[in-house]
Amino acid sequence: MNQTTRKQQLRNLGAWTFAWVLSTALVVFGAEFIWDGNPWITIVALAVNILVGIGMILSNRRLLENCDELEKKIQLESMGLTLGLTLVVGIAFSMMDATNLIPFDAEIAFLVMFMGICYMLAIWFNNRRYR
């Protein structure tokens, strides 16, 4: 893949990701502060959020399809490690909440943050490993 195409695909993925984050914030904060919990508007905003999320996933897929073999290997290993860690730690975290080992609820936001940090560290580690 040439650099111009890669930059274009990265910009495209960044735009989809930004739109998804904005639509997520709109669903959460809009229901509380803008449309006062109207369920129909919330459903429409949620549907838009899901559609934008699908666009983000397809954009990421297009980017990965055009990566070279080493980049694909790094991405695959990083995603696999992230999935495994998130599954194991997420279930342990949930069990800690269920058994009252932690004084707060095991919210999904913690798991999403954990997943993002794991993925970034795995990409960093694998990039260094295959240099």
Side-chain angles (χ1 to χ4, degrees):
M1 171 174 28
N2 67 35
Q3 287 295 353
T4 305
T5 304
R6 183 175 175 82
K7 283 183 181 177
Q8 212 168 24
Q9 288 181 338
L10 282 170
R11 272 197 296 270
N12 192 22
L13 178 59
W16 276 107
T17 303
F18 184 71
W20 179 75
V21 169
L22 281 181
S23 69
T24 301
L26 182 66
V27 171
V28 174
F29 298 115
E32 187 173 343
F33 298 114
I34 298 173
W35 56 80
D36 199 25
N38 181 322
W40 289 107
I41 297 174
T42 303
I43 289 171
V44 169
L46 192 57
V48 168
N49 174 260
I50 290 170
L51 291 174
V52 173
I54 290 170
M56 179 181 69
I57 291 167
L58 293 175
S59 179
N60 193 26
R61 182 175 176 216
R62 272 190 299 276
L63 177 68
L64 291 175
E65 285 175 344
N66 292 318
C67 288
D68 63 31
E69 293 305 314
L70 179 60
E71 289 172 320
K72 285 180 183 176
K73 181 177 178 70
I74 290 170
Q75 289 291 330
L76 182 64
E77 286 187 15
S78 300
M79 288 180 192
L81 181 63
T82 301
L83 175 65
L85 284 171
T86 302
L87 182 67
V88 171
V89 172
I91 289 174
F93 190 50
S94 177
M95 288 187 297
M96 289 169 65
D97 182 26
T99 56
N100 294 322
L101 285 176
I102 53 176
F104 49 90
D105 291 332
E107 298 286 339
I108 191 74
F110 294 119
L111 195 60
V112 172
M113 284 188 293
F114 177 78
M115 185 184 298
I117 291 168
C118 279
Y119 182 67
M120 286 188 295
L121 289 174
I123 289 287
W124 177 80
F125 176 76
N126 283 326
N127 272 323
R128 292 185 62 85
R129 188 170 115 185
Y130 290 113
R131 278 192 183 178

